Amino acid sequence: MASNIGSTEGRPLPWSGLALGLADLSAVAAIGRSHFVAIVGAPNAGKTTLLAAHWLAARRGTGEFGSRFAGSYTLIGWHQIGRHLQWVPHGRGFPPHTTAPDNRTPALLHMALNMGLDNTRQILYTDVPGEWYSEWAYDAGDAPGVQWIADAADAFVILADSAALSGPDRGIARGNYETLAHRLKAAANGRPVIPVQTKVDNAVPDLIQTFLNDLNMRLFGRPTIRVSVHNASSQPLTSPVDQGVLAALAPKKASLAYDRTKSDDPFLAFRFDREKP
């Protein structure tokens, strides 16, 4: 029998290793039910940095789920954001600002987690421009990509930027965060939301800090997670996304159902019907 080692014949893989678009989700959906974590926040709030920290923890076997990493369809996509937080000569500072594609399709990163006893969970994370969320906060119709995220996510992580809340435009930043938080509260409809305050090495005025803490507790029923890469007294940088994954994986009162209204969407065609709160 002739060996076909080195043969270039065959079918190409149905994914590139880059972040997934909506058309790419069939590869993940074919494995089983996916758990979707939406990272929400204004531009430069730190969404991509938190994702990069989550990925580096998985590579090193640290964090809540580092020892459970079981593969990814988006290894190149993870590497593209994670390399910015590595030591020199590979490190290049914080990940650059996420740019918006012309087709306004959400970019999704994938990770498989081994939860034991042949139980592998598929996790999807959003990595989209903060400008989308700023538009969605004031008019959901202006950001169809974010509305898709709001409809599909199992859990949300919302970020407040201490640098913006302590800067010269802190009043505007406070109002923008409040508007986004109220929009997300309504869209989540009882699904868990993890409030996070990033860059806490920046001193936020006491009145704004108290307002932020009270708002997050009132809307989301959770204390604010405070993180910073420069402040050792803050919580680990991996904590926000880890908490989002835990919330997305938490048992839900649900039954598997076929949604014919979204049957052309491989991710949304088979979903768990959640009981309304």
Side-chain angles (χ1 to χ4, degrees):
M1 180 181 294
S3 172
N4 61 0
I5 295 177
S7 173
T8 58
E9 297 181 0
R11 301 177 64 182
L13 295 173
W15 69 91
S16 66
L18 297 169
L20 302 174
L22 300 187
D24 305 314
L25 290 177
S26 57
V28 179
I31 302 174
R33 200 262 202 239
S34 297
H35 302 266
F36 187 2
V37 182
I39 314 298
V40 179
N44 299 312
K47 298 182 296 298
T48 304
T49 297
L50 292 186
L51 286 169
H54 184 67
W55 169 243
L56 292 183
R59 287 180 52 182
R60 296 167 181 167
T62 60
E64 185 74 31
F65 299 101
S67 63
R68 299 184 181 276
F69 176 72
S72 172
Y73 282 114
T74 58
L75 287 173
I76 298 176
W78 282 116
H79 174 70
Q80 286 182 336
I81 62 173
R83 62 193 173 94
H84 295 278
L85 297 185
Q86 294 176 324
W87 294 107
V88 291
H90 305 289
R92 302 184 182 182
F94 294 106
H97 179 66
T98 304
T99 56
D102 293 336
N103 59 9
R104 310 283 282 179
T105 298
L108 302 171
L109 294 167
H110 167 257
M111 189 181 295
L113 299 175
N114 182 1
M115 306 304 291
L117 299 176
D118 297 325
N119 180 14
T120 300
R121 302 294 184 92
Q122 311 300 322
I123 313 296
L124 293 169
Y125 311 78
T126 61
D127 185 26
V128 302
E131 287 84 358
W132 288 19
Y133 292 114
S134 297
E135 294 172 2
W136 179 72
Y138 288 94
D139 187 348
D142 283 346
V146 175
Q147 192 57 52
W148 183 92
I149 291 170
D151 292 339
D154 295 287
F156 303 85
V157 179
I158 183 171
L159 277 58
D161 182 359
S162 294
L165 292 171
S166 62
D169 295 324
R170 54 186 175 271
I172 296 175
R174 167 183 154 164
N176 288 341
Y177 179 80
E178 182 181 13
T179 302
L180 178 59
H182 278 283
R183 171 74 73 182
L184 183 57
K185 167 67 175 178
N189 192 29
R191 285 169 286 171
V193 179
I194 312 299
V196 180
Q197 184 177 351
T198 61
K199 311 176 193 176
V200 297
D201 48 289
N202 294 275
V204 175
D206 290 342
L207 288 177
I208 295 181
Q209 185 65 62
T210 299
F211 170 82
L212 178 68
N213 294 340
D214 292 346
L215 177 71
N216 285 337
M217 183 60 72
R218 175 165 51 85
L219 294 183
F220 309 126
R222 297 171 183 263
T224 305
I225 298 176
R226 292 166 52 83
V227 297
S228 170
V229 297
H230 300 296
N231 189 338
S233 64
S234 66
Q235 296 192 40
L237 204 60
T238 56
S239 182
V241 179
D242 283 352
Q243 293 300 313
V245 175
L246 285 171
L249 292 175
K252 303 174 180 64
K253 294 180 179 180
S255 59
L256 189 62
Y258 183 69
D259 187 347
R260 295 185 181 277
T261 64
K262 297 184 175 68
S263 60
D264 59 339
D265 187 323
F267 183 57
L268 294 180
F270 288 93
R271 293 191 53 80
F272 281 82
D273 287 341
R274 302 181 183 87
E275 292 184 356
K276 293 184 179 180

